[in-house]
Amino acid sequence: MPNSLALDANLLVLLIVGQVDRSWIGRDRRLRNYGVGDFDLLTKLVSGSRSLIITPNFATEVANLVVYGVDDPLRAQFLCVLGVISESTDERYRKTRDVAGRAEFARLGLTDAVWLSVLDSSSTLLTDDTDLFLAALANGLDAVRFADLRAHSS
């Protein structure tokens, strides 16, 4: 994946958790469907991309998800890794009022509607969210389902 890469929230949570403590991958409720091999595959995909794309909406969602139900010191470690990752990202922004009129807004929510408005031909969306994946394809964007990559790497 030489393009810039946008991840869905669960995949970035997987990346963060795996960098802090790989044993948490199977224990965290949001990551029950993932294993250490998935973290390794994701790490390889991210390192092979030109850059990682984030949006403020996405970063906020991930920050909330990664610390939900987690106490310090792990909580602080997760947020520290998110901070480090964000230092080397391509952060893109759209005003809420500019995406609220999109047809996908009411169905997918703000974060996903923003993704659909900031991604372009030089970016690839990597997701396990089928609705977001299909919406990206319908909008002519390059999108890949992580589950499909997992199936081919096994």
Side-chain angles (χ1 to χ4, degrees):
M1 280 188 194
N3 282 347
S4 295
L5 191 60
L7 305 176
D8 72 19
N10 282 338
L11 292 177
L12 187 54
V13 169
L14 173 62
L15 190 65
I16 292 166
V17 169
Q19 287 184 32
V20 173
D21 185 348
R22 292 163 66 99
S23 71
W24 262 75
I25 293 171
R27 295 177 13 206
D28 184 278
R29 67 177 180 81
R30 290 166 304 279
L31 303 179
R32 285 191 185 129
N33 294 329
Y34 300 104
V36 173
D38 298 319
F39 167 73
D40 293 336
L41 174 60
L42 180 59
T43 300
K44 181 179 173 183
L45 294 168
V46 169
S47 67
S49 68
R50 185 172 51 227
S51 65
L52 193 60
I53 303 167
I54 65 170
T55 70
N57 309 81
F58 172 72
T60 301
E61 183 176 321
V62 169
N64 290 333
L65 287 173
V66 79
V67 299
Y68 183 79
V70 178
D71 295 322
D72 281 327
L74 203 53
R75 181 183 191 281
Q77 292 171 342
F78 288 160
L79 289 175
C80 182
V81 170
L82 175 59
V84 169
I85 289 171
S86 69
E87 290 174 4
S88 61
T89 61
D90 172 9
E91 187 163 358
R92 300 179 184 181
Y93 172 75
R94 289 290 185 276
K95 292 180 180 180
T96 302
R97 69 176 177 226
D98 293 342
V99 297
R102 292 185 68 102
E104 301 89 359
F105 178 79
R107 189 168 49 84
L108 299 177
L110 178 60
T111 301
D112 291 351
V114 169
W115 274 135
L116 298 174
S117 73
V118 301
L119 298 178
D120 57 28
S121 62
S122 69
S123 54
T124 298
L125 174 66
L126 181 60
T127 183
D128 257 345
D129 180 331
T130 300
D131 291 333
L132 177 58
F133 171 73
L134 293 173
L137 293 179
N139 280 274
L141 300 170
D142 185 22
V144 177
R145 286 182 357 125
F146 187 70
D148 295 338
L149 297 176
R150 289 167 71 189
H152 285 82
S153 70
S154 315

